[in-house]
Amino acid sequence: MQALEIESRPWGMYEVLLDSEHTKVKRITVKPGGKLSYQYHHKRAEVWTCTKGRLSVVLEDILYDLQPGESINIPLGAKHRAYNDTMELAQFIEVQTGTYFGEDDIVRLEDDYERV
């Protein structure tokens, strides 16, 4: 599947695979040592499915380790982050559902790259 949009981030990159009225789907690649911000959203819930490598996920201050094929549900408003503490790329599919999918619906609580 060809990406509709590709964005680089300090922790890796994401590719938008589907963007519709009620759903957005991204393939997210986290480089070794990369860490997404600890965040929550007002208008969307997410489901993350690990597809490559090992993905560490903090959800409401509880740590989960995902292997390929394993998923985690991130409810609306739940604090969450993903990171890769291995030497290999980690990749996951993020399925967003809700009423709005813009990047400005990210409320960052902690960010290793000092983004606001």
Side-chain angles (χ1 to χ4, degrees), residues 45-87:
E46 299 171 345
V47 175
W48 293 352
T49 302
C50 182
T51 58
K52 182 178 183 178
R54 192 184 86 217
L55 186 69
S56 296
V57 176
V58 177
L59 176 59
E60 291 294 336
D61 299 320
I62 299 172
L63 176 63
Y64 300 88
D65 282 315
L66 300 184
Q67 304 293 327
E70 296 179 332
S71 299
I72 192 163
N73 181 46
I74 301 167
L76 178 73
K79 296 176 288 186
H80 60 282
R81 96 177 320 159
Y83 64 93
N84 179 1
D85 62 0
T86 74
M87 299 303 291

Side-chain angles (χ1 to χ4, degrees), residues 26-46:
K26 294 179 178 178
R27 178 175 34 228
I28 298 175
T29 303
V30 186
K31 63 186 176 184
K35 186 183 281 190
L36 283 69
S37 60
Y38 195 45
Q39 60 185 258
Y40 66 91
H41 310 287
H42 292 289
K43 299 183 179 189
R44 69 177 185 245
E46 299 171 345

